[in-house]
């Protein structure tokens, strides 16, 4: 039996998988077992922000693995402290809790919101339509999409849903009992829906006035994805809490919740924990990711490539009748189709040896590595254009 047969026999059937069996990656390229070379415009769903097998990441992983991989969180090590300091010095005064995945970072934020809610009698949490915060039951309860929630009801109680980037709808539904609002400043999984800065500003002012925690889920938008280290900096609106994960370890699992100074005493010893959270290995790698983003001037590069993609995508919008809209910021871009053909085009793209993403069968997405070379990006987009042509 071959690899795909083993998958079928031994792996729980929770994903629909297509395409070849991959073997090796380098930068923005992936090779399959037959030796075919692909351009990866969606490396690891936004996880591999430095592309595949960055030599510096590989080096640090190996050297740290020889020194210290894991010690429990009731003991000290240098790298967790250094990484927390790095994150705080680059965002705002506060403290950090480390975990391993996006959903876990969101869970930590929800648990802190519950603690806050009990103290101030504001137990209710507001989330956004079409949001995506992860698959654990807590995070799922804030992921207001029927297809993800329905099979797992009953979910957490006390969660209200409002329209994304619609302040009037928020004002209608918010109440004295609302203690926290959680949103992605740019909804990734939903198809790159960008909140307006006016909306975020109004939300910020309202939350200040009514003493509501404003939580940004930056699992996808963080770590330079939008051309600033964190997306809230691009919008100029500071949340009280924010999450990071996907790009934080450049491919290695790590996540965190960042809590602003005023709320950083709400959790006390024993209230929350994660066995693997903030291990020496994960933190050391993440520190290296920050270093590489700085050293290679990647934020500037993201903004340059943003301009390039915008120009090309706007051109496609005029050229291809099947495109309804293109939108994006930094290196987070979507092509919304008029028809439900995105899954088909994703498979076509694989045939053209370019890896993209299809979401909700109507949106094509790309999230290239921050360090993608301009020529590789252009060649990848050229292949994608060929794929779009096949439908027109
Ligand atoms: C991917 C994602 C998550 C979930 O992350 P996991 O690591 O899969 O738990 C949460 N929030 C956002 C915004 C995401 O994009």
């Amino acid at each position: 039996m071959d690899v795909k047969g083993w998958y079928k026999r031994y792996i729980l059937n929770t994903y629909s998988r297509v395409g070849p069996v991959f073997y090796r990656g380098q930068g923005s390229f992936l090779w399959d077992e037959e030796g075919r070379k692909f351009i990866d415009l969606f490396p690891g769903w936004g996880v591999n922000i430095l592309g595949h097998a960055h030599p510096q990441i590989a080096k640090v992983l190996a050297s740290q693995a020889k020194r210290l991989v894991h010690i429990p969180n009731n003991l000290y090590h240098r790298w967790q402290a250094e990484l927390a300091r790095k994150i705080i010095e680059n965002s705002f005064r506060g403290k950090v809790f480390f975990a391993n995945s996006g959903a876990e970072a969101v869970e930590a934020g929800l648990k802190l919101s519950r603690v806050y809610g009990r103290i101030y009698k504001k137990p209710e949490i507001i989330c956004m339509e079409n949001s995506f915060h992860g698959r654990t039951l807590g995070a799922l309860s804030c992921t207001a999409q029927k297809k993800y929630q329905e099979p797992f009801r009953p979910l957490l109680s006390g969660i209200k849903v409002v329209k994304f980037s619609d302040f009037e709808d928020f004002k209608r539904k918010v109440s004295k009992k609302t203690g926290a609002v959680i949103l992605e400043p740019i909804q990734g999984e939903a198809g790159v829906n960008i909140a307006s800065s006016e909306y975020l500003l109004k939300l910020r002012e309202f939350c200040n006035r009514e003493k509501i925690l404003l939580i940004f889920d930056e699992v996808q938008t963080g770590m330079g994805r939008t051309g600033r280290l964190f997306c809230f900096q691009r919008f100029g609106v500071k949340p009280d809490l924010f999450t990071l994960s996907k790009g934080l370890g450049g491919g290695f699992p790590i996540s965190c919740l960042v809590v602003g100074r005023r709320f950083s005493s709400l959790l006390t010893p024993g209230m929350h924990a994660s066995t693997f959270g903030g291990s020496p290995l994960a933190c050391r790698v993440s520190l290296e990711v920050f270093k590489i983003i700085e050293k290679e001037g990647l934020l500037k590069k993201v903004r340059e490539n943003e301009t390039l993609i915008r120009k090309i995508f706007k051109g496609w919008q005029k050229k291809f009748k099947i495109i309804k809209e293109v939108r994006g910021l930094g290196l987070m871009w979507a092509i919304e189709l008029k028809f439900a053909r995105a899954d088909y085009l994703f498979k076509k793209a694989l045939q053209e040896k370019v890896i993209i993403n299809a979401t909700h069968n109507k949106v094509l997405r790309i999230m290239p590595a921050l360090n993608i070379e301009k020529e590789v990006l252009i060649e990848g987009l050229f292949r994608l254009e060929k794929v779009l042509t096949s439908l027109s």
Side-chain angles (χ1 to χ4, degrees):
M1 205 182 284
D2 64 348
V3 172
K4 289 186 187 178
W6 293 331
Y7 263 89
K8 205 171 158 63
R9 183 185 283 186
Y10 300 116
I11 306 275
L12 213 55
N13 189 27
T14 62
Y15 300 95
S16 36
R17 291 186 174 85
V18 293
V21 177
F22 286 101
Y23 179 67
R24 185 169 84 83
Q26 186 72 65
S28 288
F29 296 111
L30 269 183
W31 285 264
D32 68 8
E33 287 194 336
E34 327 274 66
R36 280 177 302 214
K37 186 180 178 185
F38 294 72
I39 293 177
D40 195 353
L41 295 185
F42 205 72
W45 293 63
V47 164
N48 307 71
I49 50 164
L50 304 173
H52 301 281
H54 191 289
Q56 207 51 37
I57 293 293
K59 196 173 146 196
V60 159
L61 263 171
S63 92
Q64 187 64 29
K66 284 180 214 162
R67 183 178 294 161
L68 189 62
V69 170
H70 177 82
I71 55 166
N73 267 310
N74 61 336
L75 304 177
Y76 290 104
H77 65 82
R78 158 168 304 276
W79 300 280
Q80 188 175 127
E82 280 184 11
L83 180 58
R85 180 172 166 210
K86 188 90 203 162
I87 293 167
I88 291 302
E89 285 182 351
N90 279 289
S91 54
F92 47 71
R93 285 177 69 187
K95 292 184 179 175
V96 183
F97 173 84
F98 287 106
N100 313 284
S101 65
E104 271 180 282
V106 169
E107 288 293 332
L110 295 178
K111 283 182 77 175
L112 190 142
S113 301
R114 283 292 203 235
V115 173
Y116 179 82
R118 279 171 69 90
I119 295 172
Y120 296 101
K121 306 209 164 31
K122 289 160 98 48
E124 187 182 277
I125 295 169
I126 286 185
C127 70
M128 303 287 145
E129 275 180 14
N130 300 316
S131 51
F132 188 87
H133 298 293
R135 310 298 195 127
T136 56
L137 273 172
L140 181 65
S141 300
C142 300
T143 294
Q145 297 193 47
K146 204 169 165 216
K147 68 169 177 180
Y148 297 136
Q149 290 189 334
E150 214 50 34
F152 303 103
R153 289 187 182 282
L155 298 169
L156 283 193
S157 60
I159 292 177
K160 255 191 204 166
V161 182
V162 303
K163 285 202 173 71
F164 181 67
S165 202
D166 180 338
F167 191 65
E168 292 310 309
D169 195 52
F170 171 79
K171 271 208 318 208
R172 267 195 296 278
K173 289 170 184 160
V174 69
S175 79
K176 287 284 171 213
K177 287 206 154 27
T178 307
V181 183
I182 181 166
L183 74 156
E184 304 148 86
I186 303 175
Q187 291 187 326
E189 192 271 354
V192 191
N193 301 327
I194 305 169
S196 74
S197 2
E198 303 85 74
Y199 172 74
L200 294 175
L201 264 173
K202 280 185 188 163
L203 208 55
R204 178 67 280 178
E205 283 165 8
F206 190 95
C207 288
N208 281 346
R209 210 166 50 239
E210 299 297 324
K211 303 206 169 4
I212 298 170
L213 297 178
L214 182 59
I215 310 173
F216 282 2
D217 183 350
E218 291 229 31
V219 164
Q220 195 164 136
T221 53
M223 300 308 288
R225 177 58 58 196
T226 66
R228 295 292 302 269
L229 201 44
F230 309 119
C231 181
F232 76 81
Q233 295 163 332
R234 176 140 184 184
F235 285 115
V237 176
K238 263 191 214 165
D240 299 307
L241 277 64
F242 70 99
T243 57
L244 295 173
S245 184
K246 289 196 166 85
L248 184 58
F252 197 85
I254 177 170
S255 71
C256 72
L257 174 72
V258 183
V259 182
R261 189 169 49 99
R262 285 193 294 151
F263 309 102
S264 58
S265 314
L266 285 167
L267 294 175
T268 53
M271 284 177 81
H272 195 46
S274 165
T275 298
F276 288 110
S279 74
L281 186 58
C283 291
R284 176 87 192 277
V285 173
S286 181
L287 277 165
E288 197 62 28
V289 172
F290 277 96
K291 218 185 270 173
I292 293 167
I293 290 175
E294 278 167 40
K295 207 174 76 193
E296 298 185 6
L298 294 183
L299 298 180
K300 184 161 168 272
K301 203 166 165 183
V302 168
R303 292 192 291 267
E304 286 165 13
N305 282 332
E306 168 182 331
T307 309
L308 176 81
I309 297 174
R310 175 167 292 119
K311 197 162 147 237
I312 291 175
F313 273 27
K314 291 282 178 200
W316 289 356
Q317 187 170 342
K318 288 202 195 96
K319 180 171 165 194
F320 296 110
K321 284 195 194 69
I322 186 186
I323 296 180
K324 185 175 166 197
E325 188 184 66
V326 298
R327 52 183 179 259
L329 270 187
L331 285 181
M332 187 172 180
W333 281 87
I335 300 172
E336 184 171 342
L337 305 173
K338 286 180 189 151
F339 314 104
R341 299 304 294 279
D343 294 340
Y344 168 79
L345 290 178
F346 164 73
K347 283 178 211 156
K348 276 293 235 196
L350 273 180
Q351 285 167 14
E352 290 295 336
K353 301 213 223 24
V354 58
I355 296 167
I356 56 166
N357 171 259
T359 185
H360 301 278
N361 202 13
K362 64 171 208 284
V363 180
L364 299 175
R365 278 196 298 164
I366 62 166
M367 282 203 281
L370 309 191
N371 59 355
I372 191 169
E373 292 90 355
K374 192 164 262 168
E375 314 78 69
V376 179
L377 176 62
I378 289 171
E379 171 61 23
L381 292 176
F382 175 72
R383 292 181 192 181
L384 182 54
E385 184 171 15
K386 246 164 88 181
V387 170
L388 287 166
T389 308
S390 78
L391 256 199
S392 305

